[in-house]
Amino acid sequence: MVWSPRMSPWLAGFIALLQGSTELFPVSSLGHAVVVPSLLHLDFRPTEDSFVPFLVLLHLGTASALILLYREQWVRIVGGFLRASVRGRVEGTDEKLALLIVVGTIPTGILGFFLEKSLKSLFANPRAAGAFLIVNAGILLGAELLRRRDERRARIDSEAGETREAAFRGVESLSVRSALLVGACQCLALMPGISRAGVTMAGGLVAGLRHEEAARFSFLLATPIILAAGVLEVPQLFQRGVPLGTYLAATVLSAVVAYLSARFLIRYFRSGRLDPFAAYCAALGIATLALAR
């Protein structure tokens, strides 16, 4: 089936399930959207003008799920941002978290604005996405190795009666510099195969966050970027005569799956690590390089 503005409901639903189930996992939903159809020999072209706006529409479903999941925090964050803006300085944890999210969003917003058109050409190349999936695996594994090194040092210091201030912190303890570092990591996710959730979690671990807190900051940081992309891309769908009913149903499906995925990941990262996702990305990347058309 050829990708077109008249995409069938089943194909739209398949892409929605794929996006919703992979966006918040550190495995790159965009990489899957490029790679999986090629491996399954689905005959559609990701270079069609409606492809990126459709994916962004599905991402808005993910953003809606995250806003629902963190609705109480977002009320406090927005309130903190407004108070700090009026006062001209940051006071309190909510205001600091708002500042960290703004700072972390800036690098991707700037880079995405200038490189959007050139990066879209990679969407047609499943082999490139496969190679980036392998790179993503290396990033996840490298972050875990660094984290384990810090854990060993913290354990040794603890046995010696000392404490390591940098280990096992919460999001609100991040410095502005660390938030900027995590935001810079998020820029890598503009390439299909590099996971936004994965690189921001990896950056959070390197900055000293606990796994659960790294995941929370990743989810909070993703929301404004996704919403901003929606403002830019989704209006294009209304100019192409696309089946909006099918697309909106797919968005709802993506939102439901993303919500369930987020709830699962919050529980998982209370004790889980990034290693299994690194192994999965490496295997999928190698399979793509070997089998993709």
Side-chain angles (χ1 to χ4, degrees), residues 6-59:
R6 298 296 177 185
M7 188 200 325
S8 69
W10 79 264
L11 184 55
F14 173 76
I15 299 297
L17 283 172
L18 187 65
Q19 195 281 328
S21 61
T22 57
E23 171 63 20
L24 299 178
F25 280 77
V27 296
S28 180
S29 63
L30 182 54
H32 278 72
V34 176
V35 163
V36 171
S38 177
L39 293 177
L40 296 180
H41 302 292
L42 295 177
D43 188 17
F44 76 88
R45 297 188 297 273
T47 52
E48 288 285 346
D49 290 340
S50 59
F51 178 73
V52 173
F54 175 66
L55 281 185
V56 173
L57 185 62
L58 297 182
H59 279 68

Side-chain angles (χ1 to χ4, degrees), residues 26 140 143-144 198 201-202 205 211 268-269 272-279:
L140 300 183
E144 279 295 347
M201 287 183 200
L205 292 182
H211 283 78
Y268 171 81
F269 281 115
R273 297 178 179 271
L274 293 173
D275 307 58
F277 304 108

